[in-house]
Amino acid sequence: MAESQPAQSRAAESVGQRWVPLVGLLALVVWGHAPLLAILAERWWHDPQYSHGPLVPLFSLYLLWRQREEAEAWWGPPRWGAALGLLVAVLLLRAVAGRLLFHQLDAVALQLSLAAVVLGCGGWCLLRRSAAAIGFLIFMVPLPYELERNVGEPLKVAATVGSTFLLQTLGQPALRDGHIILMGEVRLGVVDACSGLKMLVTFAAFSVGAVLLLRRSRFEKLMVLLGIIPIAIVSNIVRITATGLSHVYVRDPRLLDFLHDFHGWLMMPIGLGLLALELWVLRNLVVEETAEYLREPLLPTGLRPLASGGTAGKHGSETSGE
């Protein structure tokens, strides 16, 4: 008992020496980027396209929390030289971001600041452990306006073409005129809000989070990432098609407004359902080779290996190896 108490006190002192500077420096980084965080919070609150933003830091914290049992292996020799180099890059990025009013660049500076603090306190070991959590924070940052415009236009075209085809398949006299779908007296416009960009951004965050959490092969994870855009487009096509059918068969304006919002809400469950279906298909499609299978030699049918190095046939006859 007398020996265990000094050991416990040394362990507690070691934990304090590690965590107190790290937490203090991280708090200083958050304080230094408070104006950026205020801008992001306002965007999360007023822009439905980025309403998932507050969940991103919480998920990053969860990525760290799920590794808590291996906390002793997190720490390595501090690398203050590399950390100072990152901080110099942060200062340059923040200067350019302030000059251009480019908040996305300031957000990258925030991530580099976090990486610098981690690198200085826990070295490369701690940075490797926290890299996924720091990188995932990119999903809390709104896309630049030019990127939104350039990505939104092709998404609108894909949604209009796909919805027109699906409506025709369902027996509706649908015709496409630019971003407008004509069905008799019904004119259904695919505006910017219906491009599916919101679904794409949110679903990308969900999919990357799933890749970070699931224990699957690299091939399966790659397929999940490659399926982000197709699944988002398909979900939006289903939403627009359902909205078009509602305008054909429903006449009550209040019910139409409700169905429009309801179909928009259904996009994410549809996307998650397609993601679950994709994971199920991949699980049954990809067969992992076990260590026993890899060690087993390939022999002709009816032969099995012997302990002495020979082989035995179907009737148990032995042939010694020469």
Side-chain angles (χ1 to χ4, degrees):
M1 293 295 294
E3 295 180 356
S4 62
Q5 291 180 354
Q8 292 177 356
S9 63
R10 286 195 300 268
E13 183 180 356
S14 176
V15 170
Q17 291 176 352
R18 290 173 175 177
W19 285 101
V20 171
L22 177 62
V23 173
L25 290 174
L26 289 177
L28 187 61
V29 168
V30 172
W31 175 80
H33 289 82
L36 170 67
L37 296 176
I39 293 173
L40 294 179
E42 183 179 1
R43 189 73 180 272
W44 299 339
W45 185 260
H46 294 97
D47 190 348
Q49 184 166 311
Y50 299 102
S51 58
H52 66 280
L55 300 177
V56 174
L58 297 179
F59 184 79
S60 293
L61 291 175
Y62 173 72
L63 290 177
L64 297 175
W65 176 256
R66 67 195 298 261
Q67 305 178 68
R68 64 190 182 279
E69 296 180 356
E70 305 172 359
E72 289 298 326
W74 288 13
W75 305 91
R79 303 294 182 182
W80 285 110
L84 290 176
L86 279 179
L87 290 177
V88 171
V90 166
L91 293 176
L92 294 176
L93 284 176
R94 298 208 70 183
V96 175
R99 182 79 174 179
L100 302 178
L101 296 178
F102 194 17
H103 303 308
Q104 288 76 13
L105 198 59
D106 202 7
V108 174
L110 170 60
Q111 290 180 289
L112 291 180
S113 299
L114 296 174
V117 169
V118 168
L119 193 58
C121 292
W124 298 109
C125 292
L126 185 57
L127 183 60
R128 281 193 296 268
R129 294 281 183 174
S130 57
I134 295 175
F136 191 78
L137 293 175
I138 195 65
F139 288 106
M140 72 179 185
V141 183
L143 296 175
Y145 171 75
E146 286 296 325
L147 184 59
E148 284 187 355
R149 188 171 63 86
N150 293 331
V151 173
E153 185 64 24
L155 289 177
K156 283 199 299 182
V157 173
T160 308
V161 173
S163 301
T164 303
F165 174 79
L166 186 54
L167 286 168
Q168 291 173 350
T169 304
L170 295 175
Q172 298 298 324
L175 295 175
R176 171 177 170 258
D177 182 13
H179 295 149
I180 299 176
I181 301 176
L182 305 175
M183 293 180 293
E185 298 179 355
V186 176
R187 293 172 57 89
L188 188 64
V190 181
V191 296
D192 292 341
C194 300
S195 65
L197 184 59
K198 175 183 181 298
M199 170 66 184
L200 177 60
V201 173
T202 307
F203 186 70
F206 273 103
S207 298
V208 173
V211 167
L212 294 174
L213 292 178
L214 294 176
R215 294 183 178 180
R216 297 293 186 93
S217 65
R218 292 182 179 179
F219 172 77
E220 292 175 272
K221 292 182 177 182
L222 177 61
M223 291 298 102
V224 170
L225 295 178
L226 293 178
I228 291 175
I229 295 178
I231 289 178
I233 292 176
V234 169
S235 301
N236 194 31
I237 289 174
V238 172
R239 188 271 295 264
I240 295 174
T241 301
T243 303
L245 293 175
S246 299
H247 280 79
V248 172
Y249 295 108
V250 178
R251 299 302 178 188
D252 187 354
R254 290 176 297 180
L255 182 56
L256 282 175
D257 291 339
F258 168 77
L259 290 175
H260 180 274
D261 296 338
F262 179 70
H263 294 151
W265 179 84
L266 279 180
M267 286 181 65
M268 185 54 64
I270 292 173
L272 294 178
L274 292 175
L275 175 60
L277 177 62
E278 180 185 11
L279 291 172
W280 179 82
V281 171
L282 289 172
R283 172 176 292 178
N284 291 274
L285 182 65
V286 178
V287 179
E288 295 185 2
E289 295 180 340
T290 61
E292 291 77 6
Y293 176 79
L294 293 175
R295 289 197 299 265
E296 183 179 350
L298 297 177
L299 298 175
T301 304
L303 298 180
R304 58 183 176 82
L306 291 176
S308 60
T311 57
K314 295 181 179 179
H315 302 290
S317 60
E318 298 183 0
T319 304
S320 61
E322 297 181 356

